[in-house]
Amino acid sequence: MNQQAINNTLTIAQGSYVLTRLPPRKKELLRAWDAADEYLLNTLAEQSLPCQGSRVLIVNDSFGALAVALSAYHPYSLSDSWLCHAATQNNLQANGLDSDAVILLDSLTLPSVAEGPLDLLLLKVPKTLALLEDELIRLAPLLTASTRVIVAGMVKGMPSSVWPLLERLCGPTSTSLAKKKAKLIFVTPTLSGAVTKSPYPVCYPLEGTGHRICNHANVFSRDSLDIGTRFFLQHLPHNLGAKDVIDLGCGNGVVGLVSAERNPEARLHFIDESFMAVASARMNFAHNLAEGREAQFIVGDGLTDVAKESADIILCNPPFHQGSTVGDHIAQRMFRQSLKVLRPGGELWVVGNRHLGYHKTLTKIFGNCELIATNAKFVILRTLRR
């Protein structure tokens, strides 16, 4: 077995599984699981959990490691990430498991309360604690005093605020010893009878406009307009005519919304891999533009499923992280996808931090790059599909 295969093999009490991440990268150096996944799965085996017939929900399973290892119990797997769902299905198939063995739910969909409470809730701590808060509030009706709740995460990704949040919204906690820099939190659900109202979506007025922007819990900069987008909005193209415009990595859709307003004949397409982001973009577009204006909303892996040479303008404020992993690989992938999706003469507009050096990447991919605007922190770049 070569070194790459060894690195991709998760061996825990439930068995050995070959797991890969999405999106795919050449010479991938990161695993599709972390020490918290291993700790959690081995602990479940020690405690003989789950029992056959148990109703199991897995939340925030990054690339399907937990779902694959527990697929024999037909768990639900809830995530805000389309890539998580796709990776889970890929990893089930790669290990000879039925792709229907895991019931995939997006972050705004819960298992039916009518089918009974959960017996086991396994929850990985997300990067955004607002998402954890929203999940705990919405999951409360599915819990009973006998539901086993185990929260897992890497120590560096578990701020001290996690514990009071769990105790306020779910019940008393006890914490395991750390192993390989991972911890488990065991929660005993307390049924107070009181219903906690989720504060999400949160809304704010969009400065300089009459628009009100609303964001679900996992949307970037959900409480206010981020400074990169603010700068981008000042320089968006206008008077485009009847063009196809894509807001790529749309988040709450503010960029596409303002572009639609400045280009009344344009056809807008909003794309993100976050279910909550696309739901927020859809909501903001519907609430802030005149009735009858239509747009397309896509949850998916960037431009993977978008037809070649189908767009005239792509607007992009690319992420520079995937979960806790920081890097420009997502941005580079978006740029390469854009080259295929733009029509000849089409333009990619990008805003990014100055230090990321996107102008070098864009010049390498497109053969050209123009500086549209710059300030102390950001640059706006335009490149042409020739």
Side-chain angles (χ1 to χ4, degrees):
M1 183 178 292
N2 60 36
Q3 186 63 41
Q4 185 67 25
I6 292 172
N7 291 339
N8 286 346
T9 302
L10 169 64
T11 300
I12 29 78
Q14 290 81 4
S16 293
Y17 306 94
V18 176
L19 304 172
T20 55
R21 298 166 62 98
L22 284 180
R25 289 197 293 171
K26 293 181 179 179
K27 299 180 181 179
E28 179 64 77
L29 300 177
L30 300 175
R31 300 182 308 183
W33 71 92
D34 59 24
D37 294 315
E38 294 180 88
Y39 197 178
L40 177 54
L41 289 167
N42 285 326
T43 298
L44 290 175
E46 291 169 5
Q47 297 182 359
S48 300
L49 293 174
C51 302
Q52 286 296 332
S54 293
R55 198 168 189 224
V56 180
L57 173 62
I58 301 165
V59 183
N60 306 325
D61 187 11
S62 296
F63 299 100
L66 299 177
V68 169
L70 300 175
S71 62
Y73 302 94
H74 299 281
Y76 297 93
S77 181
L78 185 150
S79 174
D80 188 47
S81 168
W82 184 94
L83 286 169
C84 167
H85 284 183
T88 298
Q89 291 183 319
N90 286 355
N91 286 324
L92 284 167
Q93 294 169 3
N95 288 279
L97 301 169
D98 186 352
S99 60
D100 294 328
V102 178
I103 303 168
L104 300 175
L105 301 174
D106 67 69
S107 51
L108 296 171
T109 304
L110 298 179
S112 170
V113 175
E115 295 179 10
L118 297 173
D119 298 298
L120 179 62
L121 171 61
L122 306 175
L123 199 154
K124 292 289 295 292
V125 176
K127 181 179 180 181
T128 305
L129 289 190
L131 177 60
L132 177 61
E133 179 184 22
D134 185 57
E135 290 167 342
L136 291 172
I137 292 171
R138 293 190 298 113
L139 287 170
L142 288 161
L143 306 181
T144 69
S146 59
T147 303
R148 303 289 296 272
V149 179
I150 307 177
V151 179
M154 301 302 293
V155 172
K156 65 180 180 180
M158 299 174 75
S160 58
S161 54
V162 168
W163 279 262
L165 184 64
L166 289 169
E167 291 175 353
R168 175 170 64 88
L169 295 175
C170 194
T173 65
S174 61
T175 306
S176 71
L177 296 174
K179 287 187 179 181
K180 297 181 180 179
K181 300 181 181 180
K183 277 190 177 181
L184 304 180
I185 305 173
F186 303 93
V187 188
T188 303
T190 301
L191 305 179
S192 64
V195 177
T196 302
K197 187 179 187 316
S198 176
Y200 308 101
V202 295
C203 302
Y204 63 84
L206 181 60
E207 55 198 56
T209 75
H211 301 323
R212 185 170 174 79
I213 302 301
C214 295
N215 305 296
H216 288 287
N218 199 37
V219 174
F220 173 69
S221 194
R222 67 189 169 277
D223 299 311
S224 62
L225 185 66
D226 69 277
I227 56 176
T229 298
R230 179 184 292 114
F231 185 49
F232 203 16
L233 295 182
Q234 297 169 11
H235 299 279
L236 291 179
H238 52 84
N239 298 325
L240 295 172
K243 302 289 188 180
D244 284 290
V245 179
I246 295 177
D247 185 352
L248 177 58
C250 64
N252 61 18
V254 167
V255 169
L257 170 64
V258 173
S259 182
E261 189 172 48
R262 295 180 184 173
N263 299 282
E265 297 178 19
R267 297 174 292 272
L268 269 295
H269 310 265
F270 296 81
I271 301 175
D272 204 293
E273 77 99 19
S274 160
F275 293 100
M276 284 189 170
V278 173
S280 300
R282 184 189 297 272
M283 177 170 51
N284 291 325
F285 191 87
H287 290 175
N288 290 295
L289 285 186
E291 187 175 351
R293 185 74 183 269
E294 295 183 356
Q296 184 181 31
F297 299 87
I298 301 171
V299 185
D301 177 15
L303 299 169
T304 299
D305 296 323
V306 178
K308 293 181 179 180
E309 299 188 357
S310 62
D312 300 292
I313 304 288
I314 296 176
L315 307 172
C316 187
N317 183 357
F320 50 89
H321 59 80
Q322 182 179 21
S324 60
T325 303
V326 177
D328 65 353
H329 60 284
I330 298 293
Q332 289 193 34
R333 194 162 184 268
M334 287 178 162
F335 301 160
R336 291 190 177 91
Q337 290 176 335
S338 296
L339 181 64
K340 297 178 181 178
V341 168
L342 284 170
R343 297 182 174 113
E347 301 174 0
L348 170 63
W349 289 60
V350 175
V351 63
N353 293 76
R354 294 169 60 96
H355 72 272
L356 293 173
Y358 285 154
H359 62 287
K360 297 178 183 177
T361 304
L362 290 168
T363 300
K364 182 178 179 180
I365 294 172
F366 284 82
N368 66 95
C369 184
E370 176 187 358
L371 176 65
I372 297 296
T374 184
N375 64 17
K377 189 167 185 178
F378 298 98
V379 293
I380 298 173
L381 306 169
R382 178 177 65 183
T383 187
L384 181 70
R385 161 77 194 280
R386 290 173 174 159

